[in-house]
Amino acid sequence: MQYTTGTISIASGTPTTVTGVGTRWLANVSTGWVFKLQSEDTIYEIQTVTDDTTLVIDPAYGGATISGASYVILRDYTARYQWPILLKGNVNWAAVLSESLRRIDSDLYETPSCRYIKFVPQSAPSSPVEGMIYYNSSSQAFVYYTGAAWRVIQSTLLT
Amino acid sequence: MSQYKTGKVSIEHGSTTVIGYNTTWDADGITSGWIFTVKGERNIYWIDTVTDDTTLTLSQNYYHPNGNNLYNASYAIIQDYTTNYEWPKIANTDYNWVNIIRNALFKIDNDMGAGTRSTVTFSTPSQGTSGSYYPTSGSPATTTYYLPDSSILAEEGVLYYDTHKDGFIYLSGGMTSGGTTSGADFLPVWVPAWRKITAT
């Protein structure tokens, strides 16, 4: 579940330090998790949990001085890609879901860490573009498109 | 970023033309391809052209749930999309967010299946093991071959990077029969057949 216990204050002038009142961060939150003010849409990441009432966040806070503000720290993520998970009763759920979409978009485009890719065996796609690669089911090999022609990737039996 | 909700709209049932009241669509940078929805309705539409501050066209006909023309109604245009694949994002007070997220999931599904990627980085599996394949007849009876780590799915078309072999390896279909005999020697073709991509 999200952690929303206590309130926080942050000074103006792009600080990265968040001060808590009634917060117990050491036992409940971790580096890398999403920190968010309930009153704004910006997503911050926790850099350091200094003690129960002090956090360091990134990026720096750019708003006016606030105190007694409600905040939320997301504690639930998917295992591999660390996409925020939405649970019943979550506050600011639209921002949570949008942050998940933003991360999926980035992770899918750059594909930072995949163990393998299963290509669907098929014949040549009808509208090729340069950089396209597929697995050809009849030649049993990978084929890529140069922008002008399909090229078969050579291979040897693995020993 | 929240939805754009300035002003009101009127649309004839079955028409693509949206007329705005107190809207400044052109000046505010409303763009072709963005999602348009009417408050309290389930359908989502895509903007085809923004003619001026008070006229835009949809890429599909507008259908009112009761078949009526829409008059001076609240509406919303999604302005917030992800960077690479342009999936619609939502904010707290957005209209029709269920169908917007549903559309985003359909787009993710489609982009996962056939989407564009800039680069793909394969993580490093642990070292594979030696394994044996058994031809259905002839000799040798068994032959030892390198097999990838068991975390790699053994299905035709799977591609991965092997740190031990320093190369990309994929599983080809191989043959379903045991092999051929040439003179006294048996020339086996093993099923399945992991192949290493040759590179220069």
Side-chain angles (χ1 to χ4, degrees):
Chain A
M1 283 297 293
Q2 296 172 335
Y3 191 77
T4 58
T5 303
T7 60
I8 58 104
S9 57
I10 317 178
S12 61
T14 65
T16 56
T17 302
V18 179
T19 305
V21 175
T23 54
R24 303 193 59 166
W25 286 330
L26 273 182
N28 290 289
V29 307
S30 289
T31 302
W33 287 358
V34 168
F35 173 91
K36 184 182 168 303
L37 292 171
Q38 292 198 18
S39 59
E40 63 164 42
D41 285 336
T42 309
I43 299 287
Y44 302 91
E45 184 181 307
I46 298 175
Q47 294 294 302
T48 314
V49 183
T50 311
D51 54 41
D52 269 342
T53 58
T54 312
L55 286 180
V56 179
I57 58 167
D58 179 68
Y61 171 72
T65 300
I66 49 165
S67 63
S70 297
Y71 71 99
V72 55
I73 292 172
L74 309 187
R75 301 198 289 182
D76 303 289
Y77 300 87
T78 59
R80 293 184 179 82
Y81 289 103
Q82 303 293 306
W83 297 330
I85 294 172
L86 201 56
L87 297 170
K88 188 175 171 64
N90 277 184
V91 298
N92 287 202
W93 57 268
V96 176
L97 204 46
S98 292
E99 173 65 8
S100 294
L101 289 180
R102 190 195 66 75
R103 290 187 182 192
I104 295 170
D105 175 281
S106 171
D107 290 344
L108 178 52
Y109 192 66
E110 301 291 347
T111 320
S113 174
C114 68
R115 212 159 41 191
Y116 57 80
I117 293 179
K118 164 71 190 285
F119 288 78
V120 178
Q122 58 191 293
S123 51
S126 55
S127 46
V129 292
E130 185 173 6
M132 182 181 276
I133 183 170
Y134 76 100
Y135 177 84
N136 187 291
S137 52
S138 60
S139 60
Q140 299 185 347
F142 281 91
V143 182
Y144 68 93
Y145 195 68
T146 63
W150 291 106
R151 301 255 185 236
V152 177
I153 293 175
Q154 301 301 303
S155 67
T156 55
L157 200 62
L158 184 64
T159 58
Chain B
M1 196 194 308
S2 298
Q3 294 172 338
Y4 182 93
K5 298 173 179 172
T6 305
K8 304 278 184 186
V9 295
S10 294
I11 323 173
E12 284 184 16
H13 178 70
S15 160
T16 60
T17 304
V18 181
I19 303 298
Y21 296 91
N22 297 323
T23 56
T24 48
W25 292 325
D26 197 26
D28 288 335
I30 302 302
T31 301
S32 167
W34 285 3
I35 290 174
F36 174 96
T37 191
V38 174
K39 184 184 183 185
E41 295 184 14
R42 290 181 179 176
N43 290 340
I44 60 176
Y45 302 89
W46 281 264
I47 297 173
D48 187 43
T49 51
V50 178
T51 312
D52 53 40
D53 276 347
T54 58
T55 313
L56 59 79
T57 59
L58 305 174
S59 56
Q60 314 93 327
N61 290 337
Y62 168 77
Y63 284 106
H64 188 273
N66 302 326
N68 301 327
N69 295 334
L70 191 71
Y71 180 69
N72 260 5
S74 294
Y75 72 101
I77 293 171
I78 314 282
Q79 312 177 80
D80 199 10
Y81 298 85
T82 61
T83 308
N84 300 307
Y85 294 100
E86 301 185 334
W87 301 328
K89 291 159 78 176
I90 54 171
N92 245 356
T93 55
D94 280 2
Y95 300 151
N96 205 358
W97 58 267
V98 172
N99 286 315
I100 292 158
I101 289 298
R102 192 175 68 133
N103 177 256
L105 290 172
F106 280 129
K107 285 200 72 181
I108 293 171
D109 180 278
N110 187 56
D111 291 337
M112 282 294 278
T116 302
R117 287 158 180 77
S118 61
T119 61
V120 178
T121 303
F122 290 74
S123 61
T124 53
S126 54
Q127 184 180 330
T129 53
S130 291
S132 300
Y133 288 122
Y134 296 81
T136 54
S137 63
S139 68
T142 66
T143 300
T144 302
Y145 267 75
Y146 180 83
L147 290 173
D149 182 87
S150 61
S151 67
I152 305 301
L153 182 71
E155 288 184 7
E156 184 178 10
V158 166
L159 178 74
Y160 80 103
Y161 184 84
D162 193 296
T163 47
H164 183 59
K165 294 293 185 184
D166 287 333
F168 280 96
I169 291 167
Y170 71 93
L171 188 60
S172 72
M175 281 178 63
T176 52
S177 61
T180 56
T181 302
S182 172
D185 297 325
F186 181 72
L187 305 175
V189 178
W190 289 277
V191 180
W194 292 95
R195 299 186 71 87
K196 179 180 171 182
I197 288 172
T198 52
T200 53

